[in-house]
Amino acid sequence: MRYEGQIFRPFSEANSYLLQATIGCSHNRCTFCGMYKKKKYRVRSMQEIKEDIQMAWEYHGDLEKVFICDGDAIAMETHQLLEILNTLYQTFPSLRHVGSYVGPCSTLSKSNSELKELREAGLVKVYLGVETGDDRILQEVKKGVSSEEMLEAGRKLVDSGFNLTAMVLLGLAGKGSRSREHALATADIINRIKPKYLAAMTVTPVPGTVLHQQVQKGEFQVLDAFETLEEMKIIFENITVDNLKFVGAHASNYLPIQGTLPRDKQKMLDTVEMVLRNREHRYLRAEDMRGL
Ligand code: SF4
């Protein structure tokens, strides 16, 4: 278990063994993201990866869950990922879950049959940073794809049988009328992708990122807590996907909220509306308790 630099994983992979197969993110250009700024993207050698798997077996014994790091492991050649998946399932007889972040560009670079092959080889859960459904914002934050391409990437993953978590960013349009457009377009793209999980996070400018510089220059105004809740409310009101698990507990969010849509829609809306009506900070996560 040798790790290079800081390692990130989704909240729901807290109990997974983290296997670092790539270093950094193959895209690494999103203006709001500072996760892999200090890393130059590369794929680790297969020998090193297999040594790490062997070390994990010696240290942990049998494992049920593995998360393949870093930012965009699906950018690896398909045959390399298949070799890793096969080694993992051969090494750990109880393994039932392998997850990974997937970038939209890398996803689009794979054919449907490659994605299906990866799913059949045991890559079960994937996390796609959709961020927004708004085409202009996707361009401004340098996500590398249009909203149509993001939709295509999301649909390819769902159609290939992956358990998809789509991640979106509240506040990505900054203050002003585009905040509402961002929320509406985000609900719309999620309705069309139809993931199993929707994870919302809140924009938090990280020093060293382009977004942080934009905030300092006054070019981007960060939403306050209540404005981010207005976006959350619009998303809840407009989601039509059946049985969508909403995950809002991320540390960047002001109001940790969870539920299944549409079953819990009214309860979730009531909670958000109550906080918005009372404008009381006591319901919200304090600024100094927020993080990424
Ligand atoms: S694709 Fe994901 S990990 Fe890579 S820079 Fe963008 S947000 Fe960060």
Side-chain angles (χ1 to χ4, degrees), residues 25 27-30 32-33 35-36 71 131 143:
C25 165
H27 181 61
N28 213 14
R29 282 197 288 275
C30 301
F32 54 85
C33 175
M35 296 201 295
Y36 305 108
E131 326 302 358
K143 193 70 202 179

Side-chain angles (χ1 to χ4, degrees), residues 190-210:
I190 296 303
N191 287 338
R192 294 202 281 159
I193 292 176
K194 296 186 172 46
K196 281 204 172 136
Y197 292 83
L198 171 61
M201 283 160 255
T202 301
V203 162
T204 310
V206 177
T209 60
V210 172

